[in-house]
Amino acid sequence: MPQQLTDRFGRTVNYVRLSVTDRCDFRCVYCMAEDMTFLPRQQVLTLEEIARIARNFVSLGTEKIRLTGGEPMVRKDILELVREIGTYGLRDFAMTTNGSQLTTMAEPLRKAGLHRLNISLDSLDADKFRSITRTGKLSQVLDGIDAAREAGFRGIKLNTVVMKGRNDEEIPELIEFARRKQVDISFIEEMPLGNISEHDRGLALCTSDEVRTAIRDHHELVPATEDSGGPARYYRMPDSPIRVGFISPHSHNFCATCNRVRVTVEGRLLLCLGNEHSVDLRRVLRANPVTDDKLRQTIINAMDLKPERHDFSTNGDVQILRFMNMTGG
Ligand code: SAM
Ligand code: SF4
């Protein structure tokens, strides 16, 4: 049994989200400013450094890794990293993607050892999709979702950030789409990460309760009995195998059962999505190129910094200055 990571509040940390790039081919309005400056190359971890961090987390009890970004697929050689981490014997190995490159990448990713995919999809209307992502093309993502289904992943889930006045009217269509494609879907409340100009987050907030009401006009929703082990609360419909999840950072605080930490592509270990507490792993990695003892001890010590909870306000004020693409969503 490997050593376990435990924080001051008795929570076991066994899930790591690794950001592999801050770059992206989309510019989603809730995630990025239109005009973003990305990190210079020397500040970004190499693939070997990312794998080294992953390996050491696994030796400390990590059972689940998710690769994210930015858009993981814009990182050159991402397949090499997936292939390497795929050998670590994880219980769950997943990626979050915008789906833009899945037509060519879905099968190679699955063959390289990835278990599951989360694919972001905020609209089924090509014009709205373009206005939310600023640069994205809906048809490309829909083809990507089909390619992912054909590739035979253990699980595929769609992620939708719901915003009033932008895509809240589409909730029933998105549910029908997920039912037809037989993939799970989660609806996410927008979080105040980074300063955006396109809409007022306070006014655009669509709570999970409101989304559930919109779905219940069409389908019965029964709370799922199994524990998801994550922040999403899941429901099922009596006439479909898919699960419908709700991630509610505003209306339902999930911190008490938080089992995760994040590592940015600069090697900053973030102990909480909604707080700035962090530890610089890149400095430790680069100062100790041969042995991992210092790195492991730094990770173990960092657990003491994990805050008890996040506290997002709903008035649209920015509390966390880093954008989601830096955080690793
Ligand atoms: N590029 C990939 C994608 O879009 O799926 C992975 C990275 S993205 C930052 C991960 C997830 O975070 C996406 O599902 C996205 O919709 C979500 N996200 C980004 N900014 C957010 C925000 N401010 N509030 C809530 N979710 C957000
Ligand atoms: Fe890119 Fe994902 Fe952020 Fe959209 S949510 S801009 S796809 S990183």
Side-chain angles (χ1 to χ4, degrees), residues 80-251:
E80 229 174 89
L81 181 67
V82 170
R83 219 170 278 124
E84 166 67 20
I85 296 179
T87 63
Y88 297 169
L90 290 163
R91 184 170 53 78
D92 190 13
F93 183 25
M95 179 185 280
T96 306
T97 174
N98 65 22
S100 69
Q101 296 192 44
L102 280 175
T103 46
T104 52
M105 291 291 281
E107 196 178 341
L109 282 171
R110 217 264 306 136
K111 287 193 168 146
L114 194 72
H115 300 159
R116 292 188 308 112
L117 276 179
N118 282 7
I119 307 171
S120 299
L121 181 69
D122 296 327
S123 176
L124 290 166
D125 174 294
D127 293 335
K128 276 197 210 156
F129 186 86
R130 164 71 60 154
S131 93
I132 293 173
T133 59
R134 292 199 185 101
T135 58
K137 196 162 171 232
L138 176 65
S139 59
Q140 215 173 327
V141 174
L142 296 183
D143 290 346
I145 292 170
D146 285 337
R149 290 171 64 231
E150 278 157 30
F153 286 95
R154 277 187 209 169
I156 299 175
K157 181 162 73 85
L158 304 177
N159 275 341
T160 303
V161 177
V162 187
M163 292 157 285
K164 280 203 178 128
R166 278 196 184 271
N167 63 350
D168 57 327
E169 299 288 322
E170 282 195 72
I171 295 164
E173 279 96 328
L174 285 158
I175 284 282
E176 294 318 317
F177 178 79
R179 284 165 61 95
R180 208 166 53 247
K181 299 287 177 185
Q182 305 245 310
V183 294
D184 293 345
I185 183 164
S186 279
F187 294 97
I188 306 173
E189 291 175 353
E190 184 179 350
M191 290 174 261
L193 301 176
N195 203 352
I196 60 163
S197 56
E198 292 264 326
H199 58 249
D200 179 328
R201 279 179 162 140
L203 297 178
L205 177 66
C206 188
T207 66
S208 295
D209 277 344
E210 292 173 290
V211 179
R212 267 190 297 273
T213 302
I215 299 172
R216 282 190 164 127
D217 286 343
H218 306 266
H219 297 285
E220 191 185 336
L221 281 179
V222 185
T225 45
E226 72 267 22
D227 177 17
S228 72
R233 283 177 301 163
Y234 283 103
Y235 290 73
R236 289 187 184 276
M237 292 170 279
D239 58 347
S240 165
I242 72 163
R243 295 190 308 167
V244 183
F246 298 91
I247 301 178
S248 327
H250 293 285
S251 61

Side-chain angles (χ1 to χ4, degrees), residues 24 26-28 30-32 69-71 98 325:
C24 187
F26 290 6
R27 295 282 182 281
C28 301
Y30 47 73
C31 178
M32 290 193 185
E71 173 49 41
N98 65 22
N325 74 306

Side-chain angles (χ1 to χ4, degrees), residues 257-322:
T257 55
C258 182
N259 61 348
R260 65 196 57 195
V261 293
R262 295 172 163 79
V263 182
T264 72
V265 74
E266 290 175 285
R268 204 147 69 94
L269 171 59
L270 297 173
L271 284 310
C272 171
L273 182 60
N275 283 283
E276 298 285 7
H277 304 69
S278 72
V279 172
D280 184 358
L281 296 184
R282 186 184 62 196
R283 191 180 48 77
V284 182
L285 270 178
R286 293 187 179 171
N288 299 274
V290 183
T291 57
D292 286 338
D293 298 354
K294 193 79 202 294
L295 177 63
R296 283 162 54 89
Q297 198 54 52
T298 305
I299 294 172
I300 293 168
N301 295 348
M303 294 304 123
D304 280 350
L305 296 177
K306 192 166 164 62
E308 187 168 13
R309 53 176 292 149
H310 72 249
D311 197 10
F312 293 138
S313 81
T314 50
N315 62 7
D317 285 355
V318 181
Q319 294 154 341
I320 300 288
L321 292 176
R322 68 185 133 72

